[in-house]
Amino acid sequence: MIALVQIEGLRIVARGEDGAEFPIVHDVSLSVAAGEVLALIGESGSGKTTIALAMLGYARAGCRIAAGAITVAGQRLDGLGEPALRALRGRTVAYVAQSAAAAFNPALPIMAQVIEPALIHGVMTRPAAEAKARALFAKLALPDPDHVGDRYPHQVSGGQLQRLMAAMALMTDPALVIFDEPTTALDVTTQIEVLMAFKAVVRDLGTTAVYVSHDLPVVAQIADRIVVLRHGAVQEEGTTQAILHAPAHEYSQALVAAAAPRAPAPPVDLPALDVGEPPLLELRQVVAGYGRVDGDGLPATRIVDAIDLKILRGQVVGVIGESGCGKSTLARVVAGLHPPASGYVNLCGVPLSGAVATRTRDQLRRIQLVFQSADTALNPANSVAQALGRPLTFFHGLRGRALRAEVARLLDLVRLPAALAERLPGELSGGQKQRVNLARALAARPELLLCDEVTSALDPVVAEQVLDLLIELRRELGLAYMFITHDLNIVRAIADEVIVLKGGQIVEQAPGAALSAPPHHPYTELLMASVPSLRCGWLEDAAAVIGTRAARR
Amino acid sequence: MTASPLLRLIARRVLVALGTLWLVSLAVFATSLLIEGDVAEAILGQSATPQALAGLRAAMHLDQPAWARYLVWLGGMMRGDPGHSLITGTPVAALIGARLGNSLALAGITALISVPVALTLGIVAAVKRGTMFDRAIGLVTIAVVSVPEFLIATLAVMLFAVTLHWAPALSSMRDVESPLALARMYALPVFSLACVVIAQMLRMTRAAVIDVLDSSYAEAARLKGVSPARLVLRHALPNAIGPIANAVALSLSTLLGGVIVVEIIFNYPGVARLMVDAVATRDIPLVLGVAMIFSASYLLLVTTADVVAILSNPRLGHR
């Protein structure tokens, strides 16, 4: 079999701030056979996207293809001039970007963008291109394929844009399509639909594809062969079945282990409640939203709608749902960042003010919020010691030697070396930053932590470690968590009680252990089926669940 | 139905502008009260008796309280009548009308030259980011932006008028007989104004276009094989119109301040010089009238830019 893509000794360098070049891809060699789907898998910074872009002869700003031979469909790309590369991009090799919502031009209608590759490469006339685009829309199971092209990107959902981008890539019947994390930004249920559409179209058209992802279960459903990357070098290469069932390299084994369903953590005995003691946190008929307020004082758009919820001292309550279900807003209401329109938020039986500005310092101390992205939650100009010192001084009046000792204790608590205290966030890895983010919340010595998707921005192996840390901390400190996530696997591992949120309302509330056994609300079932699994055929089963749901409607 | 929210947004923006103009009228009037001395003193001179001053003030209604004078003046402005000059008795509208055309010509010619030059160079610098061309542009513009108009004007007079004799140092309408003479008369004032305007506008345009060229959709377009020209004209510019319109409006609004300096230096017969002279003679109605013209022009520019930005936003145009 002749390889469609042949890469030999690829080396890509980036230019640092001091002007010196350092390698980000070292001596990578790989090949893709015609008609094959090859997955490049690895954590962020592993060089997977950089290698995939090299197959278009493209390096991002500040990077440069320094050495190596790249051959695609019999053409050497390294050393080719810009005009020749332009003729190849979008014609011989096409690209599906990670976030189609960002990769579609907001100022142009979708159809104009989808047929653009066919027009600029002179493959077909405009009417022929539009007809082909509509056929592809239908093939990718897009609703209303005849008119969806007339819309603008902001008028179409993220999952649909991702499929429209695939249609754009397939317009010129390219020899190779590169999918760059095409479902990472999507909800789990949307991911199923998009993956099914991609899989069907790749199979029907016999497309050769390179699929870049950090998500092993997703890759397992679509790829024939997997290349495992780390630190810009190939760690292991093999067929999907071989990597899944007999991973040889240590890192591949960690990836497979991270993707396997977690056993629930052993239950924690909650401190006994005194008779008549109120729960730590109680929400009663909480409504929050935005827009015009009607006669009953309720907002026009309700993000959180009549929520009743109790969290006991030391209890972990998982809140699960898709984007837009109101789960983050719920945390913001409890934290006082989004005053509710009606209802009560009680802390140990005492009603809390809706706005953070009018809460007492002690109330603020007892509830702490951990943000999803440590990258944006930590001030890049402040060292770790400064970030942790702020709440220590504010809540506990610590200064000088006592402050330094407490910072060291907090770092130890989140399993970070004390030497990290003087570093800036930019000098830390993603997992380390999230631990600092967590330590900052712990600095207040809270009783309730609001964890908003704290692991979802992390690479799978790192996310597992942070989750383990959270489980240990809860045992050590007796903390209660409101644990917000879209990932049922994580909630199962940590939560004593789970609430499922949809459209701002609770559709199901159950003990964490009961989640594995039916019966469930249909929406819960849908979420459960959508959790990616390494099992071959999981995708088809999940699609079947979604299909029957759609049929029932 | 799609147009109605858009129209409402634009209508709200225009209302805000009118409200701002009213607040400005308050501020301008209040400021005029701070000018020491009054027109009676200016007319009668230092040897005037208190009785004569009081008589003249009563005749000019200057003895009335400030709020009453404000209401009379505001009422006049609403009817389009900014009152009469206290010195010559001529209607302010007539005085301004005679000069406004000259000032508009000066600002208009400057804008006509600045906008195309600044936009073209700004876009080219953005596309060729990091090249020698871009760095040279960056260096020159930062140098020009840091030099105030009066210094540029003075240096230009020294070089082109005094040393080289290419253009006259003063702008007098009387000896203009040929188109060439007209061009020579405008050359230095326009040059002095255009330098700063071009430099500012160019820098903001470059930043706006670079912002768009760094976006994911620009990368996606490059990976489709789109040519550089098509990338800029079809993909980048439609998204940069809003920021560019704002850059143009902001830069042109600095013209309003620049015009005052440049008209004084070149003795150019425009409204700005009228205003400076009116301040010297405490001819308050004239000062107020000109100040309101400047404020209204500024608001017109900024509001137009906002409306363009609203119209160019596909999220607002296509619901």
Side-chain angles (χ1 to χ4, degrees):
Chain A
M1 191 160 48
I2 300 165
L4 183 84
V5 181
Q6 189 74 48
I7 293 182
E8 293 289 346
L10 179 65
R11 187 162 168 276
I12 299 176
V13 294
R15 187 177 289 277
E17 274 172 23
D18 54 354
E21 289 190 328
F22 57 93
I24 51 172
V25 170
H26 316 259
D27 190 29
V28 164
S29 300
L30 53 86
S31 66
V32 189
E36 181 183 50
V37 178
L38 176 79
L40 299 181
I41 190 160
E43 60 195 11
S44 48
S46 63
K48 54 191 190 298
T49 295
T50 311
I51 294 169
L53 287 174
M55 297 178 202
L56 289 142
Y58 183 80
R60 289 210 164 123
C63 301
R64 186 170 64 84
I65 299 174
I70 308 161
T71 313
V72 176
Q75 205 175 354
R76 275 288 289 268
L77 302 194
D78 44 297
L80 216 54
E82 272 301 310
L85 285 172
R86 272 206 297 280
L88 172 122
R89 292 173 189 157
R91 176 70 189 90
T92 311
V93 189
Y95 178 72
V96 179
Q98 169 164 11
S99 167
F104 267 103
N105 191 327
L108 301 175
I110 287 167
M111 181 58 93
Q113 304 189 53
V114 168
I115 63 172
E116 192 176 22
L119 298 187
I120 55 179
H121 293 293
V123 178
M124 55 187 98
T125 62
R126 181 178 293 270
E130 289 186 356
K132 174 159 187 180
R134 280 191 283 270
L136 279 169
F137 295 163
K139 209 176 192 56
L140 284 156
L142 279 157
D144 195 11
D146 289 340
H147 301 106
V148 70
D150 303 335
R151 310 177 111 195
Y152 280 77
H154 68 272
Q155 297 170 315
V156 179
S157 76
Q160 291 176 11
L161 279 177
Q162 213 66 55
R163 279 177 275 172
L164 288 162
M165 185 127 213
M168 176 157 77
L170 294 167
M171 277 303 293
T172 54
D173 296 320
L176 173 69
V177 180
I178 290 165
F179 292 94
D180 186 3
E181 304 241 23
T183 63
T184 307
L186 303 177
D187 269 325
V188 278
T189 50
T190 317
Q191 171 168 280
I192 307 279
E193 294 166 18
V194 173
L195 277 179
M196 278 302 283
F198 283 179
K199 195 173 180 176
V201 82
V202 164
R203 188 189 54 220
D204 293 353
L205 303 178
T207 308
T208 310
V210 170
Y211 197 100
V212 177
S213 179
H214 69 276
D215 198 343
L216 193 59
V218 164
V219 158
Q221 307 305 316
I222 202 161
D224 301 312
R225 222 150 47 81
I226 296 177
V227 171
V228 180
L229 293 162
R230 196 179 195 195
H231 304 320
V234 175
Q235 306 295 319
E236 186 172 356
E237 184 183 349
T239 64
T240 302
Q241 291 309 313
I243 298 273
L244 290 188
H245 299 299
H249 193 277
E250 194 186 339
Y251 182 65
S252 320
Q253 289 164 356
L255 272 181
V256 172
R262 281 182 70 111
V268 175
D269 292 327
L270 298 183
L273 274 179
D274 295 335
V275 179
E277 187 188 333
L280 178 63
L281 182 81
E282 184 173 18
L283 270 62
R284 252 189 272 155
Q285 289 297 306
V286 167
V287 178
Y290 57 88
R292 209 176 285 266
V293 176
D294 65 16
D296 299 328
L298 298 177
T301 310
R302 295 180 208 169
I303 313 170
V304 167
D305 199 358
I307 294 279
D308 286 313
L309 176 68
K310 277 182 196 163
I311 301 182
L312 305 179
R313 198 171 286 283
Q315 191 185 29
V316 174
V317 172
V319 178
I320 184 156
E322 294 185 282
S323 52
C325 74
K327 55 189 193 297
S328 285
T329 305
L330 189 61
R332 291 170 61 81
V333 168
V334 175
L337 298 176
H338 189 134
S342 72
Y344 294 96
V345 179
N346 291 352
L347 183 66
C348 290
V350 180
L352 285 177
S353 152
V356 73
T358 47
R359 292 186 181 179
T360 67
R361 189 172 290 202
D362 192 56
Q363 286 172 340
L364 295 179
R365 178 189 66 76
R366 292 165 74 180
I367 302 179
Q368 289 288 312
L369 181 59
V370 186
F371 290 96
Q372 167 172 4
S373 168
D375 278 327
T376 51
L378 294 176
N379 185 336
N382 284 356
S383 70
V384 170
Q386 283 172 308
L388 300 184
R390 240 353 201 318
L392 288 174
T393 309
F394 180 76
F395 287 114
H396 307 297
L398 293 183
R399 276 167 221 288
R401 189 191 299 260
L403 180 69
R404 279 196 298 279
E406 186 64 11
V407 166
R409 192 187 71 84
L410 282 169
L411 286 175
D412 186 54
L413 202 58
V414 294
R415 322 291 190 253
L416 286 176
L420 246 52
E422 293 314 315
R423 300 259 191 96
L424 292 175
E427 299 165 332
L428 304 179
S429 73
Q432 287 173 328
K433 269 183 277 193
Q434 193 56 284
R435 283 166 196 260
V436 171
N437 193 18
L438 196 59
R440 182 171 62 174
L442 294 174
R445 291 183 215 137
E447 290 159 39
L448 174 64
L449 270 192
L450 307 171
C451 300
D452 188 3
E453 298 269 16
V454 285
T455 58
S456 57
L458 301 174
D459 290 308
V461 177
V462 180
E464 285 290 295
Q465 293 161 355
V466 170
L467 191 59
D468 287 335
L469 173 67
L470 282 165
I471 293 172
E472 287 168 33
L473 282 178
R474 155 195 197 192
R475 285 177 181 282
E476 288 172 28
L477 306 175
L479 285 171
Y481 296 160
M482 180 191 269
F483 200 92
I484 293 166
T485 176
H486 67 279
D487 190 336
L488 249 165
N489 245 338
I490 292 177
V491 137
R492 263 191 211 132
I494 193 169
D496 304 315
E497 180 130 344
V498 176
I499 65 169
V500 181
L501 218 55
K502 185 176 190 243
Q505 294 180 321
I506 296 178
V507 296
E508 183 162 357
Q509 181 158 13
L515 262 191
S516 33
H520 293 293
H521 186 277
Y523 181 69
T524 314
E525 237 161 77
L526 174 70
L527 283 182
M528 290 171 69
S530 307
V531 175
S533 154
L534 286 178
R535 182 168 55 83
C536 181
W538 153 74
L539 180 61
E540 286 71 16
D541 293 350
V545 172
I546 292 179
T548 51
R549 214 176 100 86
R552 240 184 280 160
R553 244 184 294 170
Chain B
M1 280 298 103
T2 50
S4 80
L6 199 63
L7 283 180
R8 217 180 314 143
L9 210 60
I10 292 173
R12 194 184 304 163
R13 190 63 197 80
V14 172
L15 278 180
V16 167
L18 290 177
T20 313
L21 194 58
W22 172 69
L23 287 176
V24 165
S25 80
L26 267 180
V28 165
F29 193 86
T31 316
S32 77
L33 297 176
L34 297 177
I35 302 178
E36 284 197 13
D38 67 7
V39 67
E41 289 173 11
I43 293 176
L44 297 177
Q46 289 181 338
S47 57
T49 62
Q51 290 83 356
L53 280 173
L56 189 57
R57 282 187 186 131
M60 289 174 161
H61 307 294
L62 290 179
D63 54 345
Q64 292 180 11
W67 61 266
R69 277 182 283 149
Y70 173 71
L71 286 183
V72 170
W73 171 71
L74 188 67
M77 285 301 280
M78 304 274 250
R79 292 193 310 273
D81 171 22
H84 288 71
S85 162
L86 296 180
I87 302 291
T88 60
T90 5
V92 168
L95 280 172
I96 293 177
R99 299 286 198 93
L100 191 59
N102 291 342
S103 285
L104 283 180
L106 183 59
I109 293 172
T110 309
L112 272 181
I113 293 173
S114 310
V115 175
V117 171
L119 293 196
T120 314
L121 289 180
I123 292 167
V124 173
V127 173
K128 295 185 174 291
R129 177 167 29 152
T131 60
M132 282 305 290
F133 174 80
D134 179 37
R135 281 182 219 178
I137 289 266
L139 205 67
V140 171
T141 52
I142 197 92
V144 171
V145 166
S146 350
V147 181
E149 273 113 349
F150 71 82
L151 191 57
I152 293 184
T154 315
L155 291 176
V157 168
M158 273 172 60
L159 182 63
F160 297 113
V162 178
T163 312
L164 296 172
H165 298 293
W166 287 357
L170 296 180
S171 312
S172 166
M173 289 289 181
R174 263 166 305 182
D175 8 294
V176 173
E177 280 139 12
S178 64
L180 183 67
L182 191 71
R184 273 165 50 100
M185 189 200 88
Y186 273 114
L188 289 187
V190 167
F191 173 81
S192 310
L193 281 174
C195 274
V196 178
V197 172
I198 289 179
Q200 273 188 1
M201 207 186 296
L202 193 160
R203 293 183 72 81
M204 289 194 270
T205 304
R206 176 180 175 276
V209 174
I210 280 185
D211 213 35
V212 176
L213 287 179
D214 276 348
S215 66
S216 283
Y217 56 83
E219 178 175 79
R222 278 192 203 103
L223 293 178
K224 277 193 232 177
V226 164
S227 68
R230 190 178 166 93
L231 180 69
V232 170
L233 297 178
R234 179 139 171 87
H235 289 269
L237 278 189
N239 290 288
I241 284 176
I244 288 179
N246 260 309
V248 169
L250 272 176
S251 308
L252 290 184
S253 66
T254 62
L255 257 183
L256 299 172
V259 149
I260 299 184
V261 174
V262 166
E263 285 188 5
I264 297 303
I265 289 181
F266 292 99
N267 205 25
Y268 183 91
V271 276
R273 244 194 62 215
L274 192 64
M275 181 173 183
V276 174
D277 294 344
V279 170
T281 58
R282 307 290 185 266
D283 194 350
I284 299 302
L286 193 50
V287 174
L288 294 177
V290 179
M292 290 309 288
I293 293 229
F294 276 110
S295 308
S297 327
Y298 184 91
L299 280 168
L300 183 69
L301 279 172
V302 176
T303 308
T304 310
D306 279 1
V307 170
V308 168
I310 290 172
L311 288 176
S312 73
N313 186 341
R315 282 167 202 277
L316 298 173
H318 306 267
R319 293 233 169 191

